[in-house]
Amino acid sequence: MGRRTLLRGLTLAVAAVLPLYGPTAVQAAQSAAAAAVAVCGHTSAQPTLQRGSTGDPTVEAQCELDLATKPSRYTPIAADGSFGPATETRVKEFQRCAGLDADGVLGPQTWAALNTWAAQPHTCATQGTSGTAQTTVCGHTDTRPTLQKGAKGTEVEEVQCRLNLAMEPFHYPPLTIDGDFGGGTEGRVIEFQHCANLSADGVVGPNTWAKLVDWAARNTYCTPPRPAGYSIDGLDTAKYQHPGGAPIDWKAVKASGVEFATVKATRGLNVTDEYLATDLPAARAAGLAVAPYHFYTGTSPGTGAAQADRFIAAVRATGYTGQRAGDLPPVFDLERMDDGTGRCPTYGTVADARAWLDKVEAAFGRTPVIYTQKSFLDDCLGSTTAFARYPLQLADYRQSITQPPVPNGSTTWAMWQYTDAALFPGIQAPATADVFNGTQADLDRLANRASGPTAPAPASVSGASAATAATSCYGGAVTVRYGDVLDFGPYWTTDRCNDINMRVTGGTADYVNACVKFAKTGVCNRWTKVGRSWTTIATDVLDGTRFTVPNGVPLEGDDAVVQIAF
């Protein structure tokens, strides 16, 4: 799915994850180089290489370059052990991608980056173009014997390497190239055979070899199975998508074509996801339509309302109101117990679930989405039809179906979670992936983007217009740094907020000098933040307004988290 360039609603950009430069980059490179591995299985020796170099280290480098650059649609180069002009060009292309000096020499820093990029999928800012397919792209062997589970040796290494080049790496994690044809390799062969319309028997025979050689050598991939006919992609995240505390690069997620996300907020009575406070605002700031979700636990009787209270407090603390552009309705996760037993919630009842739904709907003025399965409602809640009026996010991972079965009383679904093993750029662990049952316009309407909500005038304001009453409303929190430009998009109108207001909600900056610059006049109206308060200049809003943190402003700290009137 292509990247969308139109900024919709109040799209607030967050600071990008920057590459390392200078001494920090050198230290990281030296550290990685010290733990050098043979990603392609040739040699862990990683001497400095340049044009004219030959031997196993050159073969390893060429193979790793293929693995590192093909996710950016570069056609593989020949892994023939001869460092010629084509290899030098590809080294320079890779160095530019990795933020290194593009000198065409494979030194310690380039090796370190290459090891990382070859083992885990990364993408370059500049995409490659299709070129002439190379026959030798892995460099292990040209022999093509029939192979199956239990086989070992160089030919298996060649299969594993080519599978890594043929399978789209953001959904199919690369295999370890160890020459051992085990269950993981067999499973990957079967997945490839499905993609190539071959008999999926897990055996690498002549037909599978032919397709594998072809696909590995060209600017093409086996992409993962996804439901046909649904063009809008989404995903679901929780702490599990932060292995070792790794952050999610939501800009990269959005750039990959993802349009919506549901972010775990709370579980039961006593758990708030530790990444809610960062993920929900950051996903929205990157331009995704977002929803917080709550995992319902029926481990005690009559706790639905109390669970709702915890959820409401937790998501309000992030700035979520359910009414801003980009806010999807809150999601109620109603499924089997998450203790590994697969049992129905011990005290889960329709009435208790309704207690949560009613309280959350009253708090946010949005009908919640229910995440569930027909089989769960049939087995655990007596095939109830009590939830027929709610939009549904249905989980069903079967590849044999074209849409998930809907529960009794319901006629359609809004989102389909079709896999729990998707890999996305910017996320360092598998995530569940969804498709949306509708058009982009449908998603925009569900996310308050089609015609933004107007804050109701307070009852005490006699004769005041809705626009005047909306002056003091605020949008969601966004982290700003030097040079960030936040485009309000075409949906900010004087019918919603006459004045622009900002306030600080967090961050480390002690002093920020910011401005709102009007596209029509070029006038910059300034806000100054000192300590934890803003001096606000109310200004009439014009279409096309941008909030800019100019380069070079005295930002004495790392960042500031602000809210902007919306």
Side-chain angles (χ1 to χ4, degrees):
M1 184 175 176
R3 179 176 184 173
R4 297 182 182 273
T5 56
L6 175 63
L7 293 173
R8 299 175 179 273
L10 178 58
T11 301
L12 303 176
V14 295
V17 177
L18 300 177
L20 298 174
Y21 294 97
T24 303
V26 173
Q27 292 167 6
Q30 291 172 344
S31 174
V37 295
V39 176
C40 283
H42 291 287
T43 176
S44 59
Q46 298 186 345
T48 296
L49 302 175
Q50 56 191 331
R51 191 190 284 207
S53 297
T54 58
D56 285 344
T58 300
V59 178
E60 178 71 20
Q62 291 167 327
C63 176
E64 289 194 29
L65 283 165
D66 288 341
L67 291 170
T69 58
K70 194 177 177 188
S72 301
R73 298 299 177 184
Y74 286 85
T75 297
I77 59 173
D80 56 8
S82 177
F83 198 129
T87 301
E88 183 180 56
T89 297
R90 183 56 55 85
V91 170
K92 289 179 179 179
E93 290 169 330
F94 171 73
Q95 288 171 327
R96 283 190 286 269
C97 287
L100 302 170
D101 290 336
D103 58 5
V105 177
L106 253 167
Q109 292 184 54
T110 303
W111 267 116
L114 190 57
N115 292 335
T116 298
W117 283 52
Q120 303 227 349
H122 289 63
T123 54
C124 303
T126 303
Q127 295 288 287
T129 56
S130 181
T132 303
Q134 301 292 336
T135 302
T136 303
V137 293
C138 287
H140 288 285
T141 178
D142 291 330
T143 61
R144 309 278 188 261
T146 296
L147 300 171
Q148 57 189 332
K149 189 174 182 179
K152 299 181 184 295
T154 302
E155 292 84 1
V156 176
E157 291 177 325
E158 183 74 14
V159 165
Q160 292 167 328
C161 177
R162 286 188 176 271
L163 283 167
N164 288 346
L165 284 169
M167 309 297 286
E168 196 271 312
F170 294 111
H171 290 82
Y172 299 99
L175 295 167
T176 299
I177 303 172
D178 58 6
D180 185 357
F181 198 131
T185 300
E186 182 183 49
R188 188 59 51 82
V189 170
I190 291 172
E191 289 169 329
F192 173 76
Q193 290 170 328
H194 278 300
C195 286
N197 294 316
L198 299 170
S199 176
D201 56 6
V203 176
V204 184
N207 292 334
T208 300
W209 266 116
K211 286 286 189 180
L212 191 55
V213 168
D214 179 37
W215 284 37
R218 291 191 288 115
N219 186 341
T220 189
Y221 274 127
C222 166
T223 55
R226 67 181 300 282
Y230 306 103
S231 61
I232 299 174
D233 291 298
L235 79 165
D236 313 284
T237 65
K239 65 179 182 180
Y240 310 108
Q241 280 66 58
H242 295 268
I248 292 177
D249 182 350
W250 286 101
K251 285 185 177 179
V253 173
K254 180 66 167 69
S256 73
V258 174
E259 294 291 347
F260 67 94
T262 64
V263 176
K264 187 172 184 178
T266 50
R267 175 192 182 278
L269 290 166
N270 55 9
V271 175
T272 297
D273 192 273
E274 57 214 78
Y275 295 97
L276 168 67
T278 51
D279 279 348
L280 195 69
R284 183 175 178 275
L288 281 76
V290 295
Y293 75 88
H294 171 79
F295 185 93
Y296 169 77
T297 57
T299 53
S300 300
T303 61
Q307 292 188 44
D309 287 337
R310 184 178 185 87
F311 172 81
I312 292 165
V315 300
R316 278 180 172 164
T318 71
Y320 176 83
T321 67
Q323 300 296 325
R324 305 165 303 173
D327 282 353
L328 290 168
V331 177
F332 183 51
D333 187 340
L334 185 59
E335 58 176 298
R336 297 175 187 274
M337 295 179 69
D338 59 350
D339 59 0
T341 65
R343 293 180 293 128
C344 298
T346 305
Y347 296 99
T349 64
V350 170
D352 202 39
R354 287 292 299 269
W356 190 98
L357 294 163
D358 291 345
K359 199 159 197 178
V360 170
E361 184 169 0
F364 297 110
R366 303 293 304 276
T367 302
V369 172
I370 296 178
Y371 169 97
T372 193
Q373 293 176 301
K374 182 180 186 302
S375 60
F376 167 80
L377 296 181
D378 289 346
D379 295 345
C380 300
L381 295 178
S383 300
T384 181
T385 61
F387 305 125
R389 79 174 183 90
Y390 295 92
L392 296 173
Q393 181 184 15
L394 298 177
D396 198 313
Y397 303 159
R398 292 175 294 172
Q399 296 181 20
S400 60
I401 60 175
T402 57
Q403 61 177 323
V406 296
N408 289 353
S410 300
T411 59
T412 189
W413 50 273
M415 306 168 193
W416 175 10
Q417 186 188 90
Y418 65 91
T419 181
D420 63 351
L423 290 177
F424 294 93
I427 303 180
Q428 298 184 26
T432 51
D434 302 83
V435 289
F436 181 72
N437 188 15
T439 65
Q440 183 65 45
D442 294 329
L443 179 64
D444 287 342
R445 280 189 289 272
L446 190 63
N448 293 322
R449 287 170 171 166
S451 57
T454 299
S460 60
V461 181
S462 177
S465 69
T468 302
T471 296
S472 62
C473 59
Y474 287 85
V478 55
T479 301
V480 293
R481 293 182 179 169
Y482 296 150
D484 286 351
V485 176
L486 313 177
D487 196 332
F488 290 179
Y491 301 107
W492 184 294
T493 71
T494 53
D495 292 334
R496 296 170 57 198
C497 288
N498 272 347
D499 298 332
I500 297 174
N501 295 279
M502 295 191 297
R503 63 184 178 190
V504 69
T505 62
T508 60
D510 293 322
Y511 179 89
V512 176
N513 188 17
C515 76
V516 167
K517 190 171 186 178
F518 293 100
K520 293 181 180 179
T521 65
V523 176
C524 186
N525 295 275
R526 296 193 174 275
W527 277 257
T528 300
K529 177 241 168 182
V530 180
R532 284 292 175 262
S533 63
W534 285 89
T535 300
T536 305
I537 303 173
T539 309
D540 289 341
V541 176
L542 300 178
D543 290 342
T545 297
R546 288 190 175 189
F547 166 64
T548 305
V549 181
N551 287 310
V553 300
L555 195 66
E556 297 178 356
D558 294 330
D559 56 33
V561 183
V562 301
Q563 286 187 326
I564 302 174
F566 180 57

